[in-house]
Amino acid sequence: MSRLLVRDLAQVASPAGSGTPLRGADLRRLESIEHAYVLCGDGAIEGVGRMRDLPALEGEVEEIDGSGLSAVPGLVDCHTHPCFAGDRVHEFSLRAGGASYEELHATGGGILSTVRATRAATAEELTAATLRHRGWMRAHGTTTFEGKSGYGLDRDTELVQLEAVRAAGGVPTWLGAHTVPPEFDGADAYLDFLLADVLPDAARLAEAADVFLEHGSFDAAQARRYLVACRSAGLALRLHGDQFSECGAIPLAVELGARSVDHLEATGPEGVAMLAASGVVGVLLPASALFLGRPMPPARALVDAGAAVALATDFNPGSAYCESLPLALSLACTQMRLSPEEALAAATVNAAHVLDRGDRCGRIRPGCRADIVLLDASDWRHLAYHFGGDVVHTVIEGGSVVFRRRA
């Protein structure tokens, strides 16, 4: 049995409680151990406690000196778009000059510009790009990530994207209904194609389906049609909703029992109350809101109302070219009024719940998968406090070191 001991840690911090998702006061509850160790065996956490209580270990054990370091659970990024070709740096410059996201999209830019580049790439190039982006996430402490398609909008490229996410070790989500490609005369005709020609194969590769419910993409009736068909094919349901306007995303997510509705920058009090009374998780994407100059999602109102929330990066080439979950945690604390404890739970336990992995990811606890992030600070709160810095020292996935920052 392969074993790894991280010893002499200044601090180990992990969301407390059992079950997922966490809500309300439970989001702030933390298990913290000073001068601690974490013992991993066969990919799982075998033990965690104070160094003075470390039992005698027999056999070969790899050791990591954690002196001066703190440990948190591996971060879980439950909303990313990592499989794409090209970039949109030119659009970034135009937006800096005053062009809006909606204006760029209406003139063939935005999502469709990435679609053109992604369709032109080979399967090998898309897999290499996804692996590269996965490496960026890992260097910022992400040990589990979700990856969406949605930059193909045709049969072959959509399937290649899902395969690339799987090859990179991610959780694939089919975002076939991202926007309407130019070769189709409207959203309904495009949905006819998606559900007849792509869904059967996408359902074999993906774990969930997602739709962009927004003016200019898909309305609530079209989103319902797509999601109901995907649910019948065995996929979990997710929605991009309330990013620019309230178009019925939260009522639809609640009606269909979706796992999450993501963005919520435009969500008002009624939407907050409806989400809080449901089992749907609100996935908050503060880097996207910042990048586009949009209002931040109403995180404090959602948590205070009792809603389950998660944090993610929304990593993508157009509206959130950001692979850093620590930066998302910083924004959650400084711009959305979440406490560091709430932000940590939202980016670990609750994000894992969105991906149906809440029973094995998101906590440093015996029996959980040995995904651990060592921080170059004696207090775990530096994860959010160190704004955009190199706070991640070492990343452990399944009991093996996969990243170590160079001195």
Side-chain angles (χ1 to χ4, degrees), residues 202-214:
R204 292 187 296 101
L205 296 170
E207 294 190 17
D210 199 345
V211 59
F212 188 18
L213 202 173
E214 186 58 73

Side-chain angles (χ1 to χ4, degrees), residues 17-33:
S18 60
T20 60
L22 299 175
R23 301 171 183 261
D26 287 340
L27 273 173
R28 296 189 294 273
R29 294 178 54 217
L30 192 76
E31 295 173 348
S32 180
I33 305 172

Side-chain angles (χ1 to χ4, degrees), residues 158-170:
E158 286 292 306
L159 299 180
V160 166
Q161 285 189 276
L162 295 172
E163 290 170 342
V165 172
R166 285 170 63 104

Side-chain angles (χ1 to χ4, degrees), residues 87-88 91-92 94-95 100-117 150-151 178-179 316-319:
D87 60 46
R88 275 148 65 184
E91 291 179 20
F92 174 75
L94 292 176
R95 189 181 298 116
S100 71
Y101 183 82
E102 295 93 330
E103 288 170 342
L104 293 171
H105 188 274
T107 58
I111 294 167
L112 291 177
S113 67
T114 298
V115 169
R116 292 190 291 271
Y151 291 133
H178 199 183
T179 194
N316 74 81
S319 62

Side-chain angles (χ1 to χ4, degrees), residues 307-318:
V309 300
L311 281 171
T313 62
D314 192 22
F315 172 70
N316 74 81

